[in-house]
Amino acid sequence: MSEARAATEKLHAELHGRGVTSAYELGDDATIPVWIGLVVHYRDGFYRWQEGLVKRRHLGTDPVGCAIRVARRFQELQADIPLWWDDLARELRGTPARDYP
């Protein structure tokens, strides 16, 4: 198992434990999309997460601390979901999911 994959799995487990169940591993062993535009990458010993133009980093040896910071931002984003998100989600999901949130 690569260092990136191990770090990503640890972070994913910590996020899930903090209620961020929408996060998933992208499949490249280093990327976890969390929410609209909020993505975490592991590279060169650091978790690097960004949301739009805002970029942050956290030591790769501290998945708990990184998960706390990312989960906090996730909750902030969930509290203020952009108006266009529901329309986009319905369009991407298709007709059968129109009544599903």
Side-chain angles (χ1 to χ4, degrees), residues 36-86:
I36 308 167
L38 178 58
V39 179
V40 181
H41 303 278
Y42 181 84
R43 187 179 76 228
D44 301 329
F46 287 94
Y47 293 109
R48 300 170 191 273
W49 55 281
Q50 74 180 64
E51 175 201 350
L53 299 175
V54 178
K55 295 181 181 182
R56 304 272 191 260
R57 73 180 192 171
H58 197 90
L59 284 174
T61 57
D62 184 20
V64 174
C66 184
I68 290 169
R69 292 177 69 194
V70 172
R72 185 180 308 133
R73 184 60 187 142
F74 171 78
Q75 290 171 346
E76 291 169 356
L77 291 169
Q78 286 274 304
D80 190 25
I81 298 173
L83 297 174
W84 53 264
W85 176 248
D86 286 335

Side-chain angles (χ1 to χ4, degrees), residues 20-31:
V20 183
T21 58
S22 62
Y24 60 94
E25 295 178 42
L26 193 58
D28 65 356
D29 292 344
T31 307

